[in-house]
Amino acid sequence: MPTLNITVKYRVNTGIILTPAEVFSLYLYGIDITSLDGEAFSDSAMEFYIRSAQREVENFFNLRFKKQLIEYENTSYYRDDYWQNFPIIRTRFPVEKPLSLIGMLNNIEQIIYPESWLRSNDNSNGVRHRRISVVPTGASTVQANANVILTGITSQLGMQRFTNIPDYWDFQYTTGFDLDDLPYDLMNVVGKIATFGPLGIAGDLILGAGIAGQSLSVDGLSQSISSTASATSSGYNARLLQYERELKATIPRIKLIYDEIKLAVL
């Protein structure tokens, strides 16, 4: 019996929040991106623009879409911040689940908090906080946080007089969103940014790169065609400007929902 072997390339868990088909359906509907030789705009090229837009949004809002482990992050210890309070560790990304908090003096472990003491909550908008709180629970609770933080340092090295220990806290946590809980407003920003490159290419393909109009004349008969392209704008410049206006209106409104104001005292 004859057999047919088919080899198919595919990827699993690519990490992008929008597929090329979704971008074409939602943001490029009705636009045909096909070159003069009949070759269509490839999914791999569109995936590149999606990844680029997704990373741009992640860096601007200081977050990660894909759920992942932040293996290493650190911050300094300031004694005055913890003398009469339990520690609040500020993180770079929103905390989905805190995993570990270790006090390190250079490469020497001074204190390790149990995972059951670590917690992080959501704010009123359902967005996770960028912090890890240390709240003692169980039979090993303490009366004052100063006793917890300074026990290892004081008893071993006598460093209680120091008010600042650089890069003391090492911590791990998970961040990111579940696939069913991806925020639509951020996805919308990614989708619109991802279309800027393809729309520019599509505009050049209407009549050709740098061509705004064409005309043909044969035996006194003439026909001309023109597009909205010019020396400084593409054929789909109207849609580009529309997406640009929408992004300028949307990003400032949601910036403080998904990000936080960062304060520093010098």
Side-chain angles (χ1 to χ4, degrees):
M1 178 180 294
T3 60
L4 176 64
N5 296 324
I6 300 176
T7 302
V8 180
K9 292 183 178 180
Y10 66 93
R11 294 181 179 179
V12 179
N13 297 329
T14 59
I16 58 176
I17 62 175
L18 290 169
T19 65
E22 288 174 329
V23 173
F24 276 109
S25 175
L26 296 172
Y27 303 100
L28 299 176
Y29 184 77
I31 296 178
D32 181 24
I33 309 180
T34 304
S35 64
L36 299 179
D37 59 1
E39 184 178 355
F41 194 75
S42 66
D43 286 347
S44 60
M46 178 58 74
E47 185 176 325
F48 168 81
Y49 285 105
I50 296 173
R51 289 185 182 278
S52 177
Q54 181 171 324
R55 181 48 58 93
E56 184 177 349
V57 172
E58 287 179 336
N59 291 337
F60 183 77
F61 289 95
N62 295 305
L63 51 79
R64 292 291 181 264
F65 286 105
K66 181 181 178 181
K67 185 172 288 189
Q68 57 193 270
L69 169 66
I70 305 300
E71 297 184 4
Y72 176 76
E73 195 170 318
N74 62 11
T75 188
S76 300
Y77 162 75
Y78 298 94
R79 186 183 63 184
D80 294 342
D81 291 344
Y82 307 108
W83 191 251
Q84 297 296 331
N85 304 283
F86 292 121
I88 298 177
I89 308 300
R90 300 293 177 180
T91 62
R92 179 183 177 185
F93 303 115
V95 179
E96 191 266 337
K97 181 181 180 181
L99 299 176
S100 70
L101 178 62
I102 302 174
M104 301 283 293
L105 190 65
N106 201 351
N107 293 322
I108 302 175
E109 292 184 356
Q110 293 296 308
I111 187 169
I112 301 176
Y113 282 107
E115 184 179 348
S116 60
W117 286 23
L118 310 179
R119 63 177 301 168
S120 180
N121 296 322
D122 300 344
N123 61 23
S124 58
N125 295 313
V127 180
R128 299 183 179 101
H129 287 299
R130 300 170 186 267
R131 72 187 188 196
I132 297 175
S133 303
V134 179
V135 181
T137 58
S140 57
T141 56
V142 295
Q143 294 181 352
N145 187 55
N147 296 332
V148 179
I149 295 179
L150 298 178
T151 295
I153 300 174
T154 304
S155 61
Q156 297 179 32
L157 298 176
M159 296 182 63
Q160 186 176 0
R161 68 183 183 276
F162 291 101
T163 59
N164 176 25
I165 304 176
D167 301 324
Y168 180 72
W169 296 116
D170 283 0
F171 44 93
Q172 293 182 338
Y173 59 95
T174 58
T175 187
F177 300 92
D178 294 321
L179 292 178
D180 295 333
D181 295 327
L182 288 172
Y184 284 99
D185 45 5
L186 289 179
M187 292 174 63
N188 193 33
V189 172
V190 172
K192 290 176 181 177
I193 294 177
T195 62
F196 280 30
L199 281 174
I201 296 174
D204 290 339
L205 294 176
I206 296 176
L207 295 176
I211 300 176
Q214 290 180 341
S215 62
L216 176 64
S217 179
V218 178
D219 295 335
L221 298 177
S222 63
Q223 182 181 20
S224 63
I225 183 174
S226 61
S227 70
T228 57
S230 67
T232 57
S233 63
S234 67
Y236 293 102
N237 198 54
R239 186 171 298 196
L240 286 168
L241 291 175
Q242 174 191 346
Y243 286 161
E244 182 180 1
R245 288 193 300 269
E246 292 174 356
L247 288 172
K248 286 183 178 180
T250 300
I251 290 177
R253 290 200 300 262
I254 65 177
K255 173 66 173 176
L256 293 182
I257 296 178
Y258 296 101
D259 202 356
E260 294 181 354
I261 298 177
K262 298 171 180 62
L263 302 177
V265 180
L266 301 178

